[in-house]
Amino acid sequence: MPKRPADRDEGSPHSKRQRLANNPSLKPNVEEISSAQQLQNLLAFKQDAGPETKRSIHAVKIFLESIAYGQDEGLKSTRRGILYEYLKLQPISQPEDERTYAFDLVKNWNFAQSNNEPLFSTITSVLALFLKAISHHIEFQEHGRSICRLLLQKNYLELFERGLSAQKSKDQLITATLRLLTEIVAFDGGSSAKRVYRAKDTTLKRLDTFLGLRNDVKAAASNTRRKPSIRHIALRYLFAHLKLQDHAIKIEILGNGKHLRSVFQGIKEDSPAIIHEILDAIKDDILKDEKIPRRIKGRCFSDLNLGSIASLYGYHTDGYAVQDAESSHKPESIPDRAHAFLLSVCTTPDYGLLVAGSAHHARAQGEGDENSQFQDNDGLGSLHKGVSRPKAIKNHTLASFLQMLRPYANDMQRNLILAVFQAAPELVGDYFYRRKSFSFDPKLTATWVGLAAFLLSTINLPVQGLEVPSDPTSLLPPSASGILDGILPLPLSPKVVSRCLSQNVSLIRFFTMKILSAAFNKFAIVVNYFRSCESRARTERLEERWKLGRLSLVEDFSQRCPDMSHIITVFRNCGLQDIVLREASARLLSLYYRHLPQTALQQKFDASTVLSGAINNSPSTARLLEKSALGSMVLEHLIDVARCSPDIRWWQKSADNRLSLFGSGLRRCATHADEATSRSLETLLQSALVEGINISSEHGNQLMAFMLRSLKKAEEWQPTDTLFEFLDDCLIRFSKKGVKYQQNLLNELATIYPPAESYAEYPGGGLLMVVMEQWPFIQQSATEPDLENISRWLSRFFLLLEQVEGMAQLLGHVSVRIESTTSKKKCKKILTRSSEKQFALSLKDPPLQSQIPKPAPPAMLQQSRSQEEHAPNETWRSPSPPTPEGEDHPGLGKWKQVDVEEGIVDGAIGRLILCLCSKHGDIRKQALMQLRAWMRKLQVSQYSEKEAVYLLAGELVETAATRIADDALPYFAGVAAAEFCLVLSNPLHPLYAKVNRFLNKAPTWQVEKMPSYWVDQILMHLPTNDDAHYKEIGWLLDLLIEGLRTEADMEMYRRCHVVERLLSLFASPSLQPPYQEKILVFLFRCSHVNGSTTLITRYSLLSWVHSVIAEGTMTGSQAFALGRLAKKCIASCDQGRVGDWSGGRIIDTPSVEQSNGRA
């Protein structure tokens, strides 16, 4: 229960007396000053510290306060006049008699310091008020200067010493002394500021201590007006020095780190007004002062000082119910103000903290400290095993400060770090390297989400310094490892990212894939920059450096990325309901295929099945995907995957689909022609059609346009599923048996056109042959409505083909053949195209006419090309047959005369290896023994690549040891092993990676399958280097030519399907003439080893020669070589077998030469 109130007894001696300060009615009466004489009487010295002196001093204090802080301007002017009259009564002394000026007030001050401390404190406050009252008025200027000079004399400095040496509890005395010093410094624009600093041993004594003395916040919060703390007064005193002193003194003050350390230490406990005042003073009087050196400014902001300012991010104003009355700041939140201050300090080089020029830009030759242990002299950078320490940085203070922030918990702190990263990219790698507690292990918490957002924002920062220089003559590539720190920061290790992708929580997987997608996009920008600089380099050495830098960047990035199998798993497991996650995973897969094709192609991802599933969505699935634009984006990403994947099965039907992938894509393009996705799919299908049925790009694109136009839905007609199945089946047959249908077309054309004409001039000629062959069979299986639908499509398709000049006669011939086998009368009527008059009229529209290219007549093409060639017959020489095996074999002992490296480079070891292919058994056994002896020599040598070459030699020995006793090693295996030695001796060789991958497959070789393996690795897989595709093709062709020396080699090539692969490669529109000539050399080599019969009967070489020449794309020299090849094959083949095979219809060589316009 509460205490009982005490009985009031006014007469009791124990009753407590009320304080006068808390009851204005009980305060003593104050004498009002109305004249200068009265003021002088009150200030007259009295050697007495009694009540009378106190009342006089108190009256003067009230008088001066009314001048300094009063609101009534009339009263202030009157009393200012009284004060001026009083000062006129005092003599203005010269420097030698300054001691006599204002003697009475100063004498009272000196007397009070030894007898009455409260009076001493009050007089000190009166002196401060005195200076403040006269400070801004010019008529008091001389009087005020004299007073300041008097107070700073040595004997009076002892009084300041007394006030500044007081105990911390005597805050009134300390604050009064600091106020007086502040007014002296600030008087008349700092005219006496230097005098104050000269006495710094006294005037700046314990200043750092006073800056740390604060009022009790909770106690002060209950007051309606807070009393200024010692810290607040000390801050104003310090800031007066920083504002009014000259630059030399300011630099000396700033050099004392204790003062600013005390200013910032515990700033979170200050009131909002004080915080605003501190930040304003620092910014205006230090940072914006251009005469203060940058190094001095930077010294003001240690990591501890910055950390103190950063503590304001969590500032709360709950403890400050009332703002300071003197505060004139707008109600700006303290966290916002601190953020703006830190942002300017940390990102502005002129403020001294940020060291400019620390971006990972292209460096000039010789730039950097060669003695630095972190220096990357080659400018390439690499990713070491584990986590490597970043290079030496320049912004050490910022690096330490950033470790104090929590970007995952505060948006402003995250934005500050990102701004610093953008200003100093070197800090990205250092930040994550030193931040050991930055764990990205998957846990669905607010912290993890904040970390993910911070990492995503870091990756999305633009890469600084990647502008392509106008003159890159002397520029070296930037450090790859330094750039990768900003693309994939260290917390995103492959192990951690793989765990994130394996989580069951969709949000974690989504965030992770968004981060990886952003990293891939940024990586693409950097790679393009490297390519641009590489192409603009003016010396081969610089170009090689940029190329090596780009390759190093790609390799390091691929090592930092997680295994693609995790993304494949996410894509397969996410259902159609989770369309957002499905789109993110599909996007990431397309980025893998686009930017890391080698890594992507090593994964077992069935892009054909996935793309087919996306195209052939069920009606319910289609409606589900249509609800969001993300559905079409998924298909777009899968189209990008298919565009980059070389093993798409376009012409293969799956068990659950009646159409092939090409047929499904064709149906979607025809039925959804208005979609942007369909246009991308159409472009992909055009390239697949060109490669699948072996026609030129121009004719393939034209045929694709004709098919889509003929399948377009009309008011009275729309394509059925049976039509798409029929067309798909025809295209599949054409892709698998193209040679057969080309021969059929050639036979048909022989009855229509002169021999000079060719099917290659007409798009869709081979497809017409398939349709004509399959037409009787579709009539047996299709229903009458479906058959009518197909007939109507044929009519539309024929009308489109008629737009091509020269095809009318062929179409008429095919139409007659089809109509003659049609049993349905209605279908016959449709095939006459009488029902498609409206469609025929639409073909005459100018837009469509402009889309149909008009091929030049064959005679014109031949004439124009013949004028460009100059005597190709005289320049072509038929390749010589393979050199037969000699009787002596110098390769058995030549290797002993040279060292290991010279033997590999000069070919001595290659000749030793070819002895394993000798037809003599003893030569093969000697070669095997010598090869083992060379391996021992290699093992003890100092050759840099001896491990890889020793592995090659060991596998070759193991392979040959099991078969040389009975049979020779195939020449292809021997030539390949010799070439492998040369490849392994040069790590920059385009085939270096593929050869090593082959050697790591097994300890022995399956030599019968080696040709098909290497044809597949080079023709069906992406090259190791982006620009080495044709180099690899040239290497393969040379290998195949040198490895073909006997009939056994030809038989092995036949079993490995080498010839048909090269014939298809020859027809590639992008294949350059030198490689086409190498293929011709290979075909001549086949004819030299009794392979002519195989070429004619199995590969229809003569028809192939006719088609290639008639296409009109060969030069005169090449066409002449083809004629020679046909003649050579006819002359060297088995005439009886070829005659039986062709039924006596062998196309002779003169007709081939005439088709080229040469007799």
Side-chain angles (χ1 to χ4, degrees):
M1 60 183 299
K3 296 177 67 175
R4 178 176 60 85
D7 297 334
R8 297 181 61 84
D9 187 0
E10 300 298 338
S12 173
H14 301 288
S15 60
K16 297 180 68 175
R17 182 174 60 86
Q18 297 185 26
R19 296 182 60 179
L20 298 179
N22 295 334
N23 191 346
S25 62
L26 299 178
K27 289 183 179 181
N29 294 328
V30 178
E31 182 178 356
E32 184 175 354
I33 300 175
S34 57
S35 64
Q37 187 62 43
Q38 183 183 4
L39 179 60
Q40 186 175 10
N41 294 336
L42 291 174
L43 292 177
F45 173 69
K46 305 177 183 62
Q47 198 169 358
D48 179 20
E52 184 65 27
T53 302
K54 293 180 180 181
R55 280 195 295 270
S56 299
I57 297 298
H58 187 68
V60 175
K61 182 179 180 181
I62 297 298
F63 174 76
L64 294 175
E65 283 181 346
S66 65
I67 299 176
Y69 304 111
Q71 300 296 329
D72 189 348
E73 292 296 332
L75 181 62
K76 289 172 61 176
S77 178
T78 301
R79 293 188 174 182
R80 198 180 297 118
I82 295 174
L83 184 61
Y84 183 70
E85 292 296 330
Y86 163 74
L87 290 176
K88 287 175 63 176
L89 297 176
Q90 310 297 321
I92 298 178
S93 60
Q94 299 300 324
E96 58 272 11
D97 55 24
E98 282 179 350
R99 296 167 182 248
T100 63
Y101 186 75
F103 179 78
D104 291 340
L105 183 57
V106 176
K107 189 173 183 179
N108 285 324
W109 187 37
N110 189 20
F111 174 77
Q113 62 96 16
S114 58
N115 295 283
N116 194 318
E117 188 173 281
L119 182 61
F120 176 75
S121 175
T122 303
I123 296 176
T124 306
S125 299
V126 170
L127 285 171
L129 284 171
F130 195 99
L131 292 175
K132 187 176 184 64
I134 66 176
S135 178
H136 301 291
H137 301 279
I138 192 171
E139 63 270 17
F140 295 97
Q141 185 176 16
E142 292 298 328
H143 300 281
R145 289 179 178 178
S146 299
I147 295 175
C148 292
R149 286 193 294 268
L150 175 64
L151 293 176
L152 293 176
Q153 293 204 3
K154 184 176 181 179
N155 55 336
Y156 293 120
L157 287 176
E158 298 176 357
L159 303 182
F160 289 105
E161 177 77 19
R162 166 69 188 280
L164 298 177
S165 302
Q167 298 179 3
K168 296 179 181 179
S169 58
K170 299 179 179 181
D171 55 344
Q172 187 174 1
L173 176 58
I174 296 173
T175 56
T177 306
L178 291 174
R179 285 181 187 272
L180 178 57
L181 287 172
T182 303
E183 294 300 331
I184 295 175
V185 172
F187 185 81
D188 192 24
S191 59
S192 302
K194 285 187 177 181
R195 294 173 177 266
V196 177
Y197 187 75
R198 290 194 194 106
K200 60 183 178 181
D201 293 338
T202 299
T203 56
L204 295 179
K205 185 177 183 180
R206 298 179 68 196
L207 180 59
D208 54 326
T209 302
F210 298 147
L211 289 171
L213 298 180
R214 295 176 174 84
N215 290 338
D216 186 1
V217 175
K218 294 183 179 179
S222 60
N223 298 333
T224 58
R225 177 182 174 87
R226 288 199 298 268
K227 179 182 178 181
S229 63
I230 297 177
R231 169 179 168 81
H232 195 181
I233 304 301
L235 284 172
R236 292 180 177 176
Y237 175 49
L238 175 62
F239 294 155
H241 277 287
L242 295 178
K243 183 177 182 179
L244 300 172
Q245 295 285 8
D246 61 15
H247 295 89
I249 296 177
K250 289 174 67 172
I251 292 173
E252 189 173 347
I253 294 175
L254 294 176
N256 186 355
K258 292 183 179 180
H259 296 331
L260 284 181
R261 189 182 311 125
S262 300
V263 170
F264 292 119
Q265 188 174 8
I267 191 174
K268 188 177 180 180
E269 301 176 11
D270 291 328
S271 66
I274 296 178
I275 295 173
H276 282 294
E277 190 174 346
I278 292 173
L279 299 182
D280 286 340
I282 297 296
K283 188 171 185 179
D284 295 338
D285 300 331
I286 299 178
L287 297 179
K288 292 185 177 181
D289 193 339
E290 297 179 355
K291 295 183 179 180
I292 299 178
R294 289 183 66 256
R295 60 180 181 85
I296 300 298
K297 295 179 182 179
R299 196 180 301 171
C300 298
F301 299 100
S302 64
D303 53 347
L304 295 179
N305 291 346
L306 294 173
S308 299
I309 301 175
S311 65
L312 297 176
Y313 281 118
Y315 188 84
H316 300 287
T317 59
D318 299 340
Y320 300 94
V322 180
Q323 295 287 338
D324 290 346
E326 300 176 4
S327 176
S328 59
H329 292 281
K330 297 180 180 179
E332 182 182 8
S333 66
I334 295 300
D336 291 339
R337 182 65 194 279
H339 177 68
F341 181 83
L342 287 174
L343 203 61
S344 61
V345 169
C346 298
T347 60
T348 306
D350 293 340
Y351 289 172
L353 186 60
L354 176 66
V355 179
S358 59
H360 299 293
H361 57 280
R363 301 178 289 111
Q365 292 187 14
E367 181 180 340
D369 182 10
E370 295 181 357
N371 298 324
S372 174
Q373 60 178 329
F374 303 109
Q375 181 69 23
D376 183 8
N377 295 326
D378 291 333
L380 302 180
S382 61
L383 180 67
H384 304 286
K385 299 295 183 182
V387 179
S388 60
R389 181 178 180 84
K391 291 185 177 183
I393 59 174
K394 302 177 182 178
N395 295 280
H396 298 282
T397 302
L398 280 176
S400 301
F401 166 59
L402 295 185
Q403 299 296 320
M404 305 177 184
L405 303 178
R406 300 193 305 164
Y408 52 85
N410 188 284
D411 291 342
M412 290 185 180
Q413 295 185 31
R414 178 171 68 248
N415 294 335
L416 175 61
I417 294 180
L418 294 176
V420 174
F421 283 169
Q422 189 168 359
E426 62 168 6
L427 295 179
V428 179
D430 179 82
Y431 174 81
F432 291 108
Y433 177 81
R434 297 170 61 179
R435 193 67 180 260
K436 302 298 183 182
S437 61
F438 200 116
S439 175
F440 196 61
D441 289 332
K443 297 177 183 178
L444 190 57
T445 60
T447 300
W448 188 91
V449 174
L451 291 176
F454 172 60
L455 288 172
L456 181 60
S457 301
T458 301
I459 296 173
N460 284 329
L461 289 175
V463 184
Q464 300 294 321
L466 292 190
E467 296 80 8
V468 179
S470 58
D471 184 17
T473 304
S474 61
L475 292 182
L476 297 178
S479 170
S481 60
I483 293 179
L484 281 178
D485 289 336
I487 298 177
L488 271 179
L490 290 178
L492 296 173
S493 64
K495 184 177 180 180
V496 172
V497 176
S498 299
R499 285 204 301 266
C500 294
L501 293 172
S502 302
Q503 294 294 308
N504 294 326
V505 183
S506 298
L507 184 60
I508 293 180
R509 291 182 291 172
F510 175 74
F511 259 118
T512 306
M513 288 188 291
K514 289 291 289 183
I515 290 173
L516 290 176
S517 298
F520 268 97
N521 293 330
K522 192 171 185 178
F523 168 72
I525 295 174
V526 178
V527 170
N528 290 335
Y529 165 74
F530 273 74
R531 291 185 190 276
S532 301
C533 293
E534 179 183 347
S535 63
R536 294 170 62 91
R538 298 185 180 180
T539 63
E540 293 183 0
R541 186 170 182 269
L542 278 178
E543 182 180 358
E544 187 67 19
R545 281 179 173 266
W546 280 102
K547 180 180 179 180
L548 291 177
R550 174 173 57 83
L551 297 179
S552 175
L553 178 68
V554 174
E555 180 183 359
D556 291 359
F557 181 75
S558 63
Q559 293 180 13
R560 289 198 184 188
C561 288
D563 195 272
M564 185 178 154
S565 59
H566 298 288
I567 293 94
I568 296 175
T569 303
V570 173
F571 179 80
R572 289 173 177 170
N573 294 340
C574 62
L576 295 175
Q577 299 290 343
D578 197 354
I579 187 62
V580 176
L581 189 61
R582 188 175 180 85
E583 187 276 334
S585 56
R587 179 190 298 272
L588 190 54
L589 286 175
S590 68
L591 291 172
Y592 263 93
Y593 272 92
R594 194 183 309 162
H595 302 301
L596 294 179
Q598 297 177 358
T599 303
L601 295 178
Q602 292 176 357
Q603 300 295 327
K604 295 181 179 180
F605 179 61
D606 192 356
S608 303
T609 304
V610 173
L611 180 60
S612 178
I615 293 175
N616 298 304
N617 289 317
S618 61
S620 58
T621 302
R623 286 193 297 271
L624 177 64
L625 295 179
E626 287 172 0
K627 294 180 181 178
S628 172
L630 297 177
S632 60
M633 295 177 65
V634 172
L635 181 57
E636 188 74 33
H637 300 326
L638 295 178
I639 291 173
D640 290 339
V641 171
R643 187 177 288 110
C644 301
S645 180
D647 56 352
I648 299 296
R649 301 186 300 275
W650 291 106
W651 312 104
Q652 182 176 336
K653 295 181 181 180
S654 60
D656 56 347
N657 191 10
R658 303 184 66 178
L659 295 177
S660 66
L661 179 56
F662 186 90
S664 301
L666 184 65
R667 179 173 60 181
R668 181 178 181 88
C669 291
T671 56
H672 300 77
D674 297 334
E675 295 182 3
T677 307
S678 297
R679 290 189 286 273
S680 300
L681 182 59
E682 179 182 347
T683 304
L684 180 61
L685 293 178
Q686 287 175 356
S687 61
L689 185 65
V690 170
E691 297 177 3
I693 64 177
N694 195 17
I695 60 176
S696 65
S697 299
E698 180 184 359
H699 292 159
N701 298 341
Q702 195 173 0
L703 177 59
M704 188 69 188
F706 287 162
M707 287 191 296
L708 291 177
R709 181 76 170 107
S710 63
L711 293 170
K712 186 177 181 181
K713 180 181 177 182
E715 295 181 0
E716 72 285 353
W717 178 86
Q718 62 180 5
T720 61
D721 292 341
T722 306
L723 169 58
F724 283 110
E725 293 173 11
F726 171 71
L727 179 58
D728 184 49
D729 183 67
C730 292
L731 291 170
I732 292 175
R733 290 177 180 274
F734 189 28
S735 66
K736 292 182 177 180
K737 300 180 180 180
V739 176
K740 170 188 173 182
Y741 293 110
Q742 290 172 0
Q743 184 66 44
N744 293 344
L745 178 60
L746 190 62
N747 295 335
E748 295 292 337
L749 291 173
T751 63
I752 304 173
Y753 298 108
E757 300 289 341
S758 171
Y759 75 93
E761 297 296 333
Y762 311 112
L767 181 60
L768 291 177
M769 297 298 103
V770 186
V771 172
M772 188 170 60
E773 178 191 75
Q774 296 300 313
W775 180 249
F777 302 101
I778 192 63
Q779 293 185 77
Q780 299 175 8
S781 60
T783 62
E784 185 171 353
D786 289 335
L787 195 59
E788 293 176 1
N789 188 273
I790 297 175
S791 301
R792 192 176 294 273
W793 169 76
L794 278 175
S795 180
R796 295 160 65 94
F797 186 55
F798 288 167
L799 286 171
L800 283 167
L801 290 177
E802 283 183 358
Q803 306 302 310
V804 180
E805 292 182 359
M807 282 202 69
Q809 192 172 355
L810 175 62
L811 289 172
H813 178 74
V814 174
S815 299
V816 171
R817 294 283 299 273
I818 292 178
E819 291 173 12
S820 64
T821 58
T822 303
S823 58
K824 304 292 183 182
K825 293 183 178 181
K826 192 170 183 180
C827 294
K828 279 189 175 183
K829 182 179 179 180
I830 294 174
L831 289 173
T832 59
R833 286 164 284 175
S834 60
S835 61
E836 294 297 330
K837 293 181 179 179
Q838 187 65 32
F839 179 74
L841 292 175
S842 66
L843 299 181
K844 298 180 180 180
D845 295 339
L848 183 61
Q849 292 290 334
S850 62
Q851 294 174 7
I852 301 177
K854 300 298 189 297
M860 294 177 62
L861 290 174
Q862 294 164 6
Q863 182 180 2
S864 62
R865 292 194 176 110
S866 63
Q867 292 174 355
E868 295 174 358
E869 301 298 331
H870 300 281
N873 298 18
E874 290 75 9
T875 60
W876 172 263
R877 293 182 180 180
S878 299
S880 59
T883 304
E885 182 182 357
E887 295 299 329
D888 56 341
H889 296 81
L892 292 174
K894 184 68 174 178
W895 65 272
K896 299 178 182 179
Q897 304 173 10
V898 295
D899 58 13
V900 172
E901 184 174 3
E902 185 179 355
I904 293 175
V905 175
D906 292 346
I909 302 303
R911 290 189 289 273
L912 173 61
I913 293 174
L914 288 181
C915 291
L916 296 172
C917 307
S918 173
K919 60 184 178 181
H920 306 290
D922 55 342
I923 297 297
R924 298 196 297 268
K925 293 179 181 179
Q926 291 183 43
L928 185 61
M929 294 174 58
Q930 297 295 332
L931 191 59
R932 286 172 173 164
W934 180 77
M935 289 177 62
R936 292 191 293 270
K937 180 180 180 180
L938 172 66
Q939 195 172 15
V940 299
S941 69
Q942 300 297 323
Y943 184 44
S944 59
E945 302 294 334
K946 67 178 182 179
E947 290 83 1
V949 178
Y950 186 83
L951 175 63
L952 165 65
E955 293 184 3
L956 177 61
V957 168
E958 292 297 325
T959 302
T962 60
R963 60 183 301 159
I964 62 172
D966 302 325
D967 193 9
L969 188 71
Y971 268 102
F972 182 85
V975 173
E979 288 293 327
F980 291 168
C981 287
L982 297 176
V983 171
L984 294 177
S985 65
N986 181 16
L988 297 180
H989 195 282
L991 274 300
Y992 187 81
K994 291 186 177 180
V995 170
N996 279 280
R997 195 179 301 123
F998 170 76
L999 296 177
N1000 290 326
K1001 287 175 63 67
T1004 58
W1005 302 347
Q1006 297 181 0
V1007 292
E1008 290 79 7
K1009 297 182 179 180
M1010 283 182 65
S1012 61
Y1013 173 84
W1014 282 104
V1015 170
D1016 180 74
Q1017 285 294 315
I1018 292 179
L1019 298 185
M1020 304 302 294
H1021 288 74
L1022 291 177
T1024 304
N1025 301 332
D1026 295 340
D1027 55 351
H1029 179 59
Y1030 287 107
K1031 294 180 182 179
E1032 292 189 5
I1033 290 178
W1035 182 87
L1036 173 65
L1037 294 175
D1038 291 337
L1039 180 62
L1040 291 173
I1041 293 172
E1042 292 300 322
L1044 181 57
R1045 302 191 182 189
T1046 64
E1047 293 185 29
D1049 297 328
M1050 181 65 191
E1051 179 62 19
M1052 184 174 66
Y1053 283 4
R1054 184 194 65 80
R1055 291 195 302 267
C1056 293
H1057 307 286
V1058 172
V1059 178
E1060 49 261 59
R1061 295 282 190 92
L1062 296 187
L1063 293 179
S1064 299
L1065 176 64
F1066 189 93
S1068 175
S1070 60
L1071 189 66
Q1072 300 174 1
Y1075 304 104
Q1076 291 178 330
E1077 294 178 2
K1078 286 189 177 185
I1079 296 177
L1080 293 179
V1081 173
F1082 171 81
L1083 295 175
F1084 271 100
R1085 179 66 68 95
C1086 292
S1087 67
H1088 287 304
V1089 294
N1090 296 330
S1092 299
T1093 304
T1094 303
L1095 291 177
I1096 295 174
T1097 58
R1098 178 170 290 273
Y1099 306 113
S1100 188
L1101 179 69
L1102 300 181
S1103 299
W1104 178 81
V1105 169
H1106 269 277
S1107 65
V1108 171
I1109 294 177
E1111 189 174 0
T1113 59
M1114 297 293 101
T1115 63
S1117 177
Q1118 291 174 333
F1120 183 78
L1122 288 170
R1124 285 283 185 89
L1125 174 63
K1127 183 177 180 180
K1128 170 67 176 175
C1129 290
I1130 293 175
S1132 60
C1133 70
D1134 186 343
Q1135 299 289 336
R1137 183 180 173 187
V1138 172
D1140 294 339
W1141 172 80
S1142 64
R1145 298 177 59 192
I1146 299 179
I1147 304 176
D1148 56 0
T1149 305
S1151 64
V1152 175
E1153 295 177 352
Q1154 289 173 5
S1155 66
N1156 189 42
R1158 300 180 185 273

